[in-house]
Amino acid sequence: MNGITSLKLKGDLGVHHGVLMRHAEILWPNGTTHNTYCKLDPTKSFCTNCLGYPGGGQCANQTDLYYMRGKGEVETYQPRFTSHGFRYAQVWGLPPTLTPNELLTKGVLTAWEIHTDVTPNGFVEFSNTLKV
């Protein structure tokens, strides 16, 4: 899909920690996200070249990093000036009390599809009934 992910978390009072979301099309054998264009050793679970530093790596990076305000309140992060092409999203830096299942059931992580709203002005018709 093409779109964005949003996070809704309650941070700890006085703690300004970062939450990292990495988007990818495929997964490493160990279940971590992996960008299709990465040329590094697949035995590594985290590619330091994929962090998006200038001039770093062979990878098309799709990572969002959000720093919690530290006010002890529920915070929502949703990027505004980007979109990602992805099938999977992996999140680091979540509160330790949050289980992976709660990411979806409590609405902590949401994926939003972005597409154009273009009115179709034509169609294609084939004489061959084979579905492609």
Side-chain angles (χ1 to χ4, degrees), residues 8-43:
K8 187 175 183 181
L9 292 171
K10 182 174 182 182
D12 295 329
L13 186 61
V15 178
H16 303 275
H17 73 277
V19 179
L20 181 79
M21 293 183 291
R22 190 166 71 178
H23 307 77
E25 292 287 337
I26 59 175
L27 297 176
W28 289 112
N30 67 3
T32 58
T33 53
H34 166 57
N35 193 288
T36 308
Y37 304 106
C38 185
K39 296 179 181 176
L40 297 177
D41 184 349
T43 60

Side-chain angles (χ1 to χ4, degrees), residues 14-15 23 31 39 44-45 48 68 76 94 107 128-129:
V15 178
H23 307 77
K39 296 179 181 176
K44 295 180 182 177
S45 63
T48 56
M68 304 289 289
T76 301
L94 293 172
N128 187 340
T129 59

Side-chain angles (χ1 to χ4, degrees), residues 13 49 88 104:
L13 186 61
N49 257 357
Y88 305 99
L104 303 175

Side-chain angles (χ1 to χ4, degrees), residues 66-77:
Y66 175 69
Y67 285 97
M68 304 289 289
R69 292 185 187 104
K71 295 183 178 182
E73 302 170 346
V74 174
E75 301 178 36
T76 301
Y77 169 72

Side-chain angles (χ1 to χ4, degrees), residues 56-110:
Q58 319 273 326
C59 307
N61 186 25
Q62 298 192 92
T63 302
D64 297 327
L65 177 60
Y66 175 69
Y67 285 97
M68 304 289 289
R69 292 185 187 104
K71 295 183 178 182
E73 302 170 346
V74 174
E75 301 178 36
T76 301
Y77 169 72
Q78 182 172 315
R80 292 192 225 173
F81 300 107
T82 191
S83 69
H84 304 295
F86 66 100
R87 292 173 51 199
Y88 305 99
Q90 187 169 6
V91 184
W92 285 275
L94 293 172
T97 57
L98 191 64
T99 66
N101 190 38
E102 290 175 323
L103 279 173
L104 303 175
T105 59
K106 290 191 173 184
V108 173
L109 180 66
T110 306

